[in-house]
């Protein structure tokens, strides 16, 4: 009974658990409304608005895909050639090549190099988002946000790198077992703790003052059986004109958050509609569903990395001795990036089905398909989302049904098609 034997068994069990859980927890039957209804919805949108959002996305596309391609190329170069290993050695040199210095500083350096390479394309995208009036950020504000997210990423990254390579260092044969458990635990921790810790880094929240809207939102939540502690307003207008609302926190800490942009742009009825959608996520425990799938997926990924590590060709390409040593960070990054690209469409598909269920929840809770449709039109208009994006792009990346799909769903619900 070698560690490898146990790893193959664990991999199979975790994979079956992931597939089994997804099979029962994901609302697979929430398919989009018929295409004819979607086209009818598209026809109800002002032609000039459709043209403007299409022009916006056409302008963004080159920068987005070039950024993706460049990022992929960079991690492949760092991971499938000895370049990544050299970078890690370089970072550890001032510290006597200590494994922990290589792990933390080397890892951060490898990630930083790929981030810096794609930075000009991110800046280009920012100019387009500003030109179309979505972002209200100056270069100063944009840079501060960028540094903040680098900071948050560096702290998290350092913890993960130190944790992972401490395990591989002290348990060279069984690291995959501890690593899988640790990765699953980390996903759970991040999905419940991170929003609470990170939200205040980027936004300020103030309680919504007493008034009819606050009362209506709290009553809506109570009627839905989803108690919330407070209704907060986020100062999103500091960086964007986009509108949004969400529900965060669990049990006694649950709160409704409304962007200040939403208060300025949308009618109270539309804000109620968006909130009803968000309450649907809380009621159906969608965060928990996502967390369980994420935790199982992360554990599967760690065991898969271990099994891949016994492939001599891969190890030789990266110029390392083992996939579990800090010098293999580039290789780990390359493999996880490819795995992310492959699993991305499946994750988006699952997300769209879950979002469609929350839409139906909003329709049932408010029993107001007309306002729901008006809200979708508003979200699409203000956020300049392509109401009916190219099918392949939608399949690859869209986390939500498209605007026309959501409008069509409201119509289908109103005529009793449930
Ligand atoms: Zn949602």
């Amino acid at each position: 009974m070698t560690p490898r034997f146990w790893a193959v068994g664990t991999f199979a069990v975790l994979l079956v658990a992931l597939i089994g859980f997804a099979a029962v927890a994901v609302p697979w039957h929430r398919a989009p409304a018929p295409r004819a209804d979607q086209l009818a919805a598209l026809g109800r949108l002002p032609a000039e608005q459709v043209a403007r959002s299409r022009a916006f996305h056409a302008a963004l596309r080159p920068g987005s895909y070039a950024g993706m391609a460049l990022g992929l190329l960079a991690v492949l170069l760092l991971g499938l050639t000895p370049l990544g290993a050299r970078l890690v050695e370089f970072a550890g040199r001032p510290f006597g090549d200590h494994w922990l210095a290589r792990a933390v500083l080397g890892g951060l350096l490898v990630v930083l190099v790929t981030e810096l390479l794609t930075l000009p394309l991110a800046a280009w995208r920012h100019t387009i988002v500003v030109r179309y009036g979505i972002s209200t950020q100056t270069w100063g504000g944009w840079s501060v946000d960028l540094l903040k997210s680098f900071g948050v990423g560096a702290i998290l990254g350092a913890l993960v790198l130190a944790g992972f390579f401490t395990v591989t260092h002290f348990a060279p044969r069984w690291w995959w077992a501890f690593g899988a458990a640790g990765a699953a635990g980390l996903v759970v921790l991040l999905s419940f703790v991170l929003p609470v810790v990170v939200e205040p880094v980027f936004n300020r929240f103030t309680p919504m003052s007493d008034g009819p809207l606050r009362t209506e939102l709290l009553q809506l939540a109570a009627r839905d059986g989803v108690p919330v502690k407070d209704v907060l307003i986020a100062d999103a207008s500091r960086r964007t004109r986009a509108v949004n609302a969400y529900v965060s926190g669990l049990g006694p800490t649950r709160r409704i958050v409304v962007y200040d942009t939403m208060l300025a742009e949308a009618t109270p009825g539309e804000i109620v509609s968006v909130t009803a959608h968000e309450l649907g996520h809380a009621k159906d425990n969608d965060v928990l569903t996502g967390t369980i799938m994420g935790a199982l997926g992360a554990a599967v990924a760690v065991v898969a990395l271990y099994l891949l590590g016994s492939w001599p060709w891969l190890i030789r390409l990266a110029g390392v001795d083992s996939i579990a040593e800090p010098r293999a960070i580039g290789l780990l990054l390359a493999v996880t990036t490819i795995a992310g690209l492959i699993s991305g469409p499946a994750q988006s598909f699952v997300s769209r089905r879950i979002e469609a269920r929350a839409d139906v929840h909003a329709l049932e809770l408010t029993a107001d398909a007309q306002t729901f449709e008006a809200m979708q039109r508003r979200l699409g208009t203000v956020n300049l989302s392509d109401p009916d994006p190219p099918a392949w792009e939608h399949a690859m990346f869209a986390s939500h049904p498209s605007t026309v799909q959501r409008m069509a769903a409201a119509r289908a619900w109103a005529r009793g098609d449930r």
Side-chain angles (χ1 to χ4, degrees):
M1 298 283 197
T2 60
R4 196 179 150 71
F5 170 87
W6 285 106
V8 171
T10 307
F11 178 78
V13 169
L14 286 172
L15 196 61
V16 168
L18 175 59
I19 293 169
F21 179 76
V24 293
V26 176
W28 300 105
H29 60 288
R30 294 287 175 207
R35 185 67 187 150
D37 289 339
Q38 296 176 29
L39 290 174
L42 186 61
R44 286 193 295 276
L45 292 170
E48 131 231 12
Q49 180 213 321
V50 175
R52 187 170 149 75
S53 66
R54 292 214 162 131
F56 173 57
H57 287 277
L60 276 178
R61 221 164 260 134
S64 302
Y65 288 118
M68 264 183 246
L70 194 62
L72 181 62
L73 194 70
V75 296
L76 291 182
L77 264 178
L78 289 171
L80 302 184
T81 75
L83 220 56
R86 296 235 179 85
L87 218 51
V88 173
E89 285 164 17
F90 169 78
R93 203 158 297 149
F95 302 89
D97 301 326
H98 194 278
W99 62 270
L100 193 57
R102 281 185 170 181
V104 175
L105 299 175
L108 293 182
L109 183 62
V110 166
V111 174
L112 187 67
V113 165
T114 59
E115 293 280 347
L116 289 181
L117 270 176
T118 52
L119 193 58
L121 291 160
W124 182 23
R125 282 200 302 276
H126 176 66
T127 64
I128 295 165
V129 182
V130 168
R131 174 148 39 91
Y132 277 84
I134 295 288
S135 172
T136 53
Q137 274 191 314
T138 58
W139 283 112
W142 183 81
S143 309
V144 168
D145 266 11
L146 189 77
L147 289 176
K148 279 183 187 170
S149 52
F150 274 3
V152 170
I155 293 169
L156 268 177
L159 290 174
V160 169
L161 288 162
F164 180 74
F165 287 106
T166 299
V167 171
T168 64
H169 186 77
F170 290 109
R173 279 157 52 84
W174 294 93
W175 63 263
W176 56 271
F178 299 106
L186 190 71
V187 169
V188 174
L189 189 74
L190 289 186
S191 78
F192 294 120
V193 173
L194 201 63
V196 184
V197 177
V198 169
E199 274 172 20
V201 175
F202 293 95
N203 278 106
R204 260 190 299 278
F205 301 90
T206 46
M208 183 184 277
S209 46
D210 276 327
L213 181 58
R214 181 185 156 87
T215 308
E216 194 174 354
L217 293 179
L218 289 174
Q219 276 172 357
L220 185 78
R223 189 148 55 80
D224 203 13
V226 182
V228 295
K229 190 172 150 239
D230 208 353
V231 183
L232 301 178
I233 297 170
D235 62 342
S237 60
R238 283 196 301 141
R239 70 172 63 84
T240 183
R241 287 208 181 87
V243 296
N244 203 4
Y246 60 92
V247 174
S248 79
L250 287 174
T253 68
R254 196 179 283 131
R255 62 247 181 95
I256 298 171
V257 178
V258 181
Y259 276 21
D260 56 353
T261 47
M262 183 103 193
L263 283 179
E265 290 277 348
T267 67
E270 291 166 6
I271 296 175
V272 168
S273 204
V274 171
T275 306
H277 167 101
E278 297 301 328
L279 290 171
H281 285 312
K283 185 141 193 171
D284 287 315
N285 290 313
D286 290 340
V287 173
L288 186 63
T289 302
T291 304
I292 292 173
M293 283 198 287
L296 285 170
V300 167
V302 171
V303 185
L305 277 178
Y306 169 80
L307 294 172
L308 262 181
S310 57
W311 193 9
W313 173 78
L314 206 59
I315 300 301
R316 258 201 312 276
L317 268 186
V320 295
D321 304 319
S322 139
I323 199 163
E325 64 156 319
R327 292 194 315 132
I329 285 166
L331 178 60
L332 290 174
L333 193 64
V335 172
T336 45
T337 303
I338 293 168
L341 274 179
I342 294 170
S343 64
Q347 290 181 29
S348 301
F349 185 89
V350 165
S351 171
R352 289 196 299 273
R353 289 294 196 258
I354 288 174
E355 293 297 339
R357 173 169 65 187
D359 279 351
V360 172
H361 181 87
L363 289 163
E364 274 164 8
L365 183 59
T366 61
D368 185 354
Q370 222 170 358
T371 306
F372 180 89
E373 194 183 323
M375 178 266 288
Q376 290 306 332
R377 214 175 309 141
R378 171 96 57 195
L379 283 179
T381 312
V382 179
N383 298 350
L384 270 190
S385 40
D386 187 340
D388 189 32
W392 60 272
E393 207 171 73
H394 184 70
M396 288 285 291
F397 305 114
S399 61
H400 287 64
S402 68
T403 300
V404 298
Q405 284 175 342
R406 301 178 87 173
M407 289 169 67
R411 295 263 166 151
W413 184 86
R415 63 169 187 252
D417 237 357
R418 290 164 200 179

